[in-house]
Amino acid sequence: MKFDVAIIGSGLAGLTVALHLACDKKVVVISKRALLDGASNWAQGGIAAVLDSHDSHAAHIADTLTAGVGLCDEAVVRYIVENGKSAIDWLIEQGVPFTPDAKAELGFHLTREGGHSQRRIIHAADATGHVVQVTLEQKVRAHPNITLLENHSGVKLITRRIGRTQAETRVKDVADSDRRIDPLQCLGLYVFDEVSDRVETVLADHTVLATGGAGKVYLHTSNPDTATGDGIAMAWRAGCRVSNMEFMQFHPTCLYHPTAKSFLISEALRGEGGLLKIPTKAETDAGQRFMQHYDERLELAPRDVVARAIDAEIKKRGLNHVDLDISHCSPGFIEEHFPTIYARCLTYGIDITREPIPVVPAMHFTCGGVVTDLAGCTDIPCLYAVGEAACTGLHGANRLASNSLLECLVMGRSTAQFIKRQAARTEMRMQEAVSDWDDSRVADADEAVVISHAWDEVRRLMWNYVGIVRTDKRLARAQHRIHLLQEEIEAYYRSYRVSSNMLECRNLIQVAALVVQSALSRKESRGLHFCQDYPYILPKALPTVLTPNAGFR
């Protein structure tokens, strides 16, 4: 299969790139599951942008920089923030039905979330991601220039060597401005078709990684099952640098219930007055608020602060969870602003208009990723990364709430604009460099239990040793065991035909190794990375950058 552009991932970043390119290019969107089975579809809160005269770009930039604790790239922050309104305007043009507010300047309701100094979160009730994704999915499915490959998993990026003089990187190099990259060029990728149970070759002039984050590397996560770090792992194996992988954001408030799976309680609920309290069944301080002991911003402190506060209270008091209470607001207000959360909690016997919601922190967002510039370019020409798979410099050491969907929109359009300006490669040059996938020397897997055990072990290992609060001793233990798991999964990969579970497990273990190596490299506590051995913050903020050819795999 040959296309102008291959996009791996069907979340907001991937669909944005596709729709901005489809008028001029032949595009394929490769989705691991169905088109709506990604993290974007689960996003509740909304999209942060300056949409009101009481707000300003300077204020949004300042809030982002504060949350990022010195590690944000200010030029990137400025670019994305200043392009926020045009990105929202584009969604409105596509027909996204944001929650209206006749009194607002733009005509839409704006809410506020932790870390924001103003109301600037435009939303569609409490199911923004789903509403946006459904709208764009309809556009993508109807477009004649877009081919959809659902139930296809990325296996390996296809690269070839080019002349050293052609391989100068466009990416900002945070470590060495004179460094040259390996002389590679991306030609597309191999994908595994779950329906036909075979690996297919997809050739493309440009390949875009929009595969999302790696939430499933942890035992408890708000992410869908598809969030296995596929793009990050594939880019790393191909030769791309990754940055800031130690900054894994734990959302403070996921529903705690024995039968609930990965259900997030939006930060907007705290933005509209939700209070964190000690559970009523606790022996002491039952029903009392506790955030005043941790931060003057109380429930509206940034996510890392709130997550650590909840974690501390749970451990100190021997609790299973804390309570998030919005029952002091009127039932009508709650049902209007949080219909999804209200309905979902009711299915578990929790009426949030009358009682608090039991919540615990869970892994939520991957702040690091594949190093890119403002055009989405990675270290390998013709390979791009957009959205949660990328590390642009926007999030720094901690993502500001609702900046993620904004980044998908702005960077998706920026990457599409850059691709439009590039000349197409010739068909002959493409075909010369690529051969089909060869599985003639491997066998069918005889023990799938090996994969399920490795999958379970790495996630428990990461939760227990590389969680909200870390120590070098725990990290070293995790690193040792992860290296053994890597050896096991690589031997399995070389010996047997690929499957979706094998590919995801291999990618999870690779991402886990990157997270642990990054965490061990940081000798301070900054943002989302809190290490008891180094509880202070260093005067100079430096990103963690890992390079594949620098001896680490």
Side-chain angles (χ1 to χ4, degrees), residues 506-520:
R506 183 175 182 241
N507 291 335
L508 274 178
I509 294 171
Q510 179 62 76
V511 169
L514 295 171
V515 173
V516 173
Q517 179 66 22
S518 297
L520 281 167

Side-chain angles (χ1 to χ4, degrees), residues 174 231-233 235-236 239-245 368-371 379 389 391 514-515 518 544-548 552:
V174 293
I232 296 171
W236 172 260
C240 293
R241 291 168 299 149
V242 300
S243 182
N244 291 346
M245 288 298 294
V370 184
V371 176
D379 288 332
C391 184
L514 295 171
V515 173
S518 297
T544 302
V545 182
L546 301 181
T547 305
F552 175 72

Side-chain angles (χ1 to χ4, degrees), residues 17-27 143 145-146 420:
V17 176
L19 288 170
H20 279 293
L21 284 173
C23 290
D24 306 303
K25 303 287 185 182
K26 184 181 178 183
V27 177
H143 205 292
N145 278 354
I146 298 177
K420 284 182 180 181

Side-chain angles (χ1 to χ4, degrees), residues 241-260:
R241 291 168 299 149
V242 300
S243 182
N244 291 346
M245 288 298 294
E246 68 270 39
F247 299 117
M248 306 295 274
Q249 186 180 75
F250 287 78
H251 197 287
T253 54
C254 276
L255 177 64
Y256 177 81
H257 190 276
T259 60

Side-chain angles (χ1 to χ4, degrees), residues 408-435:
C408 290
L409 290 165
V410 174
M411 290 304 301
R413 180 176 61 184
S414 178
T415 299
Q417 290 171 341
F418 177 83
I419 290 172
K420 284 182 180 181
R421 297 194 295 268
Q422 308 309 303
R425 294 199 294 264
T426 66
E427 184 77 18
M428 182 178 296
R429 289 171 61 196
M430 291 284 289
Q431 296 290 357
E432 285 175 355
V434 179
S435 57

Side-chain angles (χ1 to χ4, degrees), residues 426-497:
T426 66
E427 184 77 18
M428 182 178 296
R429 289 171 61 196
M430 291 284 289
Q431 296 290 357
E432 285 175 355
V434 179
S435 57
D436 287 334
W437 184 261
D438 181 10
D439 60 1
S440 61
R441 289 172 288 183
V442 296
D444 292 328
D446 55 356
E447 288 187 330
V449 70
V450 174
I451 297 298
S452 62
H453 281 181
W455 181 296
D456 182 67
E457 182 174 353
V458 70
R459 296 180 67 213
R460 290 183 183 277
L461 194 71
M462 290 295 288
W463 184 259
N464 292 329
Y465 292 126
V466 199
I468 296 173
V469 177
R470 302 162 178 174
T471 67
D472 273 359
K473 187 175 182 179
R474 291 178 198 160
L475 292 172
R477 286 175 176 171
Q479 185 178 56
H480 174 72
R481 184 55 193 149
I482 288 168
H483 282 172
L484 295 177
L485 286 170
Q486 278 189 294
E487 292 177 359
E488 292 172 10
I489 194 67
E490 289 304 319
Y492 198 93
Y493 175 75
R494 291 191 297 268
S495 301
Y496 300 110
R497 291 189 176 89

Side-chain angles (χ1 to χ4, degrees), residues 349-367:
I350 303 167
D351 183 350
I352 68 173
T353 67
R354 297 174 178 270
E355 58 189 317
I357 309 166
V359 295
V360 291
M363 195 282 163
H364 184 57
F365 189 85
T366 307
C367 288

